[in-house]
Amino acid sequence: MEELIIKETIEPLGKETLRAALKINGTVRSYFSTFLRSIGYLEIPPVIYSTATDPLNHPVFDTTFEYYGRKYSITKSMIFHKQIAVQHLDKIFTFSPNVRLETADKASTGRHLSEFTQIDIECLRATRDDMISLAEDMISGIVAEVEEKNYHELLSLKRTLNIPRKPFLRIKYKDALGKYGKNFENVLSAKMSDPFWIIDIPINEREFYDREDPNNAGYLLDMDLIYPEGFGEAISGGEREFEINKILQRVSLKGQSPDQFKWFIEAASRGLLPSAGFGIGIERLVRYLCGFPKIEMVTPFPKVPGKYSI
Ligand code: AMP
Ligand code: MG
């Protein structure tokens, strides 16, 4: 067992592919932070634990712990912190480490880790269209940057990238589901040669903080970006619910208790301005840029769902 643990965890460290991936990871981080700063975004430090974190719309193992009589959770995403911080800071981003103790079935997707980092972005008074446009600039921009700065790494990985042309294709969730069935995301991802958006996701597929479209009841003003070539989901984001009565309705629709999100609900009760934003998983992006079969190839100490790790 001991041997198995070591074999699983140090495997990426012995490989040249890891060095290339880490160089590309460096380009991603410095390009995004320079680009976002240049358009007025302020970096905020990550939150590692808090009394309220993203409830997520899929089951993960619990990470709550008690500290001086209060219950905390390790951050699954900084959604609540972003929505509150942006009220004061207008345009923010953070490199946010997330712990999501995903179930073992996720190990085979090639794109799930139980510890990963997302670049998480939020903008006050922004719309979904604004965020789609920003994300398209970031994705096309990083492909061009990696082609220029990491020419040698791409060559050694035998990876050819195309700079995706803007605007990216937008497909409505309902249409994708109707045409390709429940597994549409994987089917479409495998078929496409450029990234594309899935928009207007049904209310029950997402969490309470995604804003319902006032002109399309039951659907959200949100979006997922999907990588081509079978690499799957890249980004999730959208406009946020900001009116306290709607937030409370949505929490109760999910069968959740507002107590679970106490500080956020209290802050929202004092009044929020609308905002929108999104998160890009860094490891998934690096995996896509490298063209790797598995996400664990991009990081020296991968946490693979359901497997032992150090
Ligand atoms: P979400 O809002 O839950 O979609 O998370 C935002 C982004 O983080 C996703 O679009 C992915 O790029 C990334 N992400 C989410 N879960 C994982 C995971 N288990 N492993 C790696 N990346 C993830
Ligand atoms: Mg998502």
Side-chain angles (χ1 to χ4, degrees):
M1 188 59 83
E2 190 68 8
E3 207 184 339
L4 183 70
I5 294 170
I6 292 166
K7 192 163 173 263
E8 280 175 0
T9 51
I10 67 168
E11 209 170 17
L13 263 181
K15 299 217 166 107
E16 262 315 297
T17 46
L18 177 66
R19 188 181 296 277
L22 291 174
K23 285 204 161 179
I24 290 175
N25 180 70
T27 305
V28 166
R29 285 177 173 257
S30 75
Y31 175 78
F32 281 168
S33 70
T34 306
F35 172 71
L36 288 168
R37 270 176 241 288
S38 79
I39 56 169
Y41 280 78
L42 196 62
E43 181 168 6
I44 65 166
V47 169
I48 305 290
Y49 70 90
S50 146
T51 57
T53 192
D54 196 333
L56 301 178
N57 200 48
H58 68 280
V60 292
F61 293 97
D62 188 36
T63 62
T64 54
F65 61 93
E66 212 172 289
Y67 182 50
Y68 283 101
R70 265 200 131 175
K71 272 181 95 178
Y72 297 90
S73 276
I74 303 177
T75 297
K76 295 190 192 111
S77 93
M78 277 175 59
I79 181 66
F80 301 133
H81 301 82
K82 283 199 311 177
Q83 200 178 346
I84 299 304
V86 83
Q87 304 295 317
H88 306 275
L89 301 169
D90 301 323
K91 289 164 128 188
I92 54 169
F93 73 99
T94 181
F95 285 93
S96 168
N98 290 182
V99 172
R100 299 183 184 177
L101 301 181
E102 309 274 9
T103 46
D105 54 304
K106 295 274 170 31
S108 57
T109 65
R111 62 173 181 272
H112 285 86
L113 293 171
S114 8
E115 177 185 278
F116 63 95
T117 299
Q118 45 172 320
I119 181 154
D120 224 343
I121 294 167
E122 195 76 13
C123 184
L124 202 63
R125 296 191 181 89
T127 62
R128 176 174 64 180
D129 281 345
D130 297 331
M131 290 299 99
I132 284 183
S133 163
L134 174 62
E136 290 181 358
D137 286 346
M138 290 175 68
I139 295 294
S140 326
I142 190 58
V143 173
E145 181 81 354
V146 165
E147 279 188 336
E148 191 194 319
K149 298 267 162 54
N150 299 105
Y151 174 80
H152 294 292
E153 285 72 38
L154 293 179
L155 205 63
S156 77
L157 297 172
K158 301 188 174 59
R159 176 68 170 151
T160 316
L161 290 166
N162 300 316
I163 302 172
R165 274 228 307 270
K166 298 178 280 188
F168 302 171
L169 184 67
R170 295 185 193 188
I171 306 172
K172 289 194 170 146
Y173 182 102
K174 204 164 53 176
D175 296 342
L177 183 69
K179 198 151 177 203
Y180 298 102
K182 255 183 135 26
N183 197 25
F184 68 83
E185 189 179 303
N186 290 332
V187 175
L188 275 167
S189 175
K191 269 169 83 81
M192 297 290 202
S193 49
D194 279 314
F196 60 95
W197 295 103
I198 297 290
I199 59 164
D200 297 352
I201 296 162
I203 207 164
N204 59 332
E205 293 292 318
R206 289 292 146 96
E207 273 311 316
F208 73 82
Y209 48 76
D210 283 315
R211 185 168 179 225
E212 187 175 11
D213 187 342
N215 304 312
N216 191 14
Y219 292 89
L220 303 170
L221 281 168
D222 64 352
M223 73 286 188
D224 276 359
L225 184 77
I226 315 297
Y227 291 122
E229 304 170 65
F231 288 99
E233 188 198 292
I235 290 178
S236 288
E239 294 184 23
R240 315 301 179 195
E241 287 295 0
F242 59 96
E243 292 158 293
I244 187 63
N245 58 333
K246 296 227 172 95
I247 292 175
L248 291 173
Q249 268 170 23
R250 296 280 303 282
V251 168
S252 104
L253 202 67
K254 279 270 165 197
Q256 291 159 337
S257 153
D259 286 348
Q260 206 185 323
F261 317 105
K262 197 163 181 285
W263 77 265
F264 173 75
I265 301 281
E266 278 172 8
S269 307
R270 293 192 285 274
L272 292 177
L273 291 168
S275 68
F278 58 91
I280 307 179
I282 296 289
E283 293 82 358
R284 285 190 187 180
L285 174 58
V286 174
R287 175 197 173 212
Y288 167 67
L289 293 166
C290 293
F292 287 161
K294 288 201 167 277
I295 193 167
E296 52 262 41
M297 293 172 74
V298 309
T299 183
F301 303 107
K303 306 292 198 309
V304 180
K307 293 200 178 160
Y308 294 111
S309 58
I310 49 171

